[in-house]
Amino acid sequence: MATIAAIFRIEAPDDTSNRKRLIRDTLVEGLATMVFVFFGTHSVLSTGRKLVGSGEIDDVARVTPIALAFGVSIMALVYAIGHITGGHMNPGVSFMMMLQRQMSWKKMLCYWGAQFLGAIVASSLVWAASSGMSGKPMYDEGEVFNRPPFNLGANGLDDFVTTGNGFLLELMGSFFFFFVISQTALDKKGIAVTNFPAIPIGFTLVVVHICLIPFTGCGVNPARTLGPSAVVCMSSTGKCDEVIASWYWIYWAGPLVAAWLVAEVTALMQWNVDEIEDVMSTKVSTDMDLVDDVIPDTPTKPEQSVTNGEGAC
């Protein structure tokens, strides 16, 4: 429970007193989240015919391009805004940084608001860009595009996956993603001092999407989950029950629990393993000083000189 103890023991950084900087960072974070969610979810529309999670085999061909769209987008945006906001674009990442005392809870809430709003705007733009597809024939299959098309790339649980399976997948995917962020972008003893953290972060997200898309659609980001589902539900023609059901909570609980676990693991990895040796060395030195104080020096008996046989037995 190191992170919970740290919240009460370590003072949070003063990152809200400068109102202009806070407003700028919040707006940039919201803009970046909007761009990320737009291009990530739009890849779902541009690459396939049916929703991922429908149990159809032909959906597998869509996994790689969708994964690359999300991974490369996050990589590019981290390079673009990382020096300004840190490049979170994910409420789970902001929560993890708050637990690690990298940001205050006030700024975290500002980021959350910007991220959720940016995701909703992004999904609205996706619908605006694809509204012409609604109700039109879907290639030569005799089906028609739903309204909004493909549910705007919303997450959904596969028919063959239980809610427990989905939660574990979202938890593990989020843990892997957040762990790489923590150890590359935040650890100043690692490659965080270079310009390379965005590369492993982006490729990690690609791997996570390849593994999770066929089963959960891959959330690992509450903002990315909220955007499409909120817009679909607000639509008069959208089918809200397809994007928000009894399994919806896994896309929120998974990333948030993973953020806490990564913060705990990071605290363990930053443990000063040399501290015990230093304490033991100091204790031994102190004990020896006490022994010298308690036991006075015993005077040595002068050696008896043996000269010309005197004193000899």
Side-chain angles (χ1 to χ4, degrees), residues 30 34 37-38 115-127 227 231:
M34 181 195 70
V37 174
F38 176 86
Q115 290 159 354
F116 290 134
L117 181 60
I120 292 174
V121 172
S123 295
S124 300
L125 293 175
V126 171
W127 190 13
V231 174

Side-chain angles (χ1 to χ4, degrees), residues 112-154:
W112 277 12
Q115 290 159 354
F116 290 134
L117 181 60
I120 292 174
V121 172
S123 295
S124 300
L125 293 175
V126 171
W127 190 13
S130 60
S131 60
M133 300 168 60
S134 298
K136 299 291 181 64
M138 187 182 293
Y139 310 107
D140 298 325
E141 298 184 358
E143 300 181 47
V144 296
F145 290 105
N146 56 347
R147 302 170 182 268
F150 302 105
N151 284 339
L152 303 178

Side-chain angles (χ1 to χ4, degrees), residues 214-226:
F215 305 104
T216 67
C218 191
V220 301
N221 185 335
R224 176 260 182 273
T225 298
L226 176 67

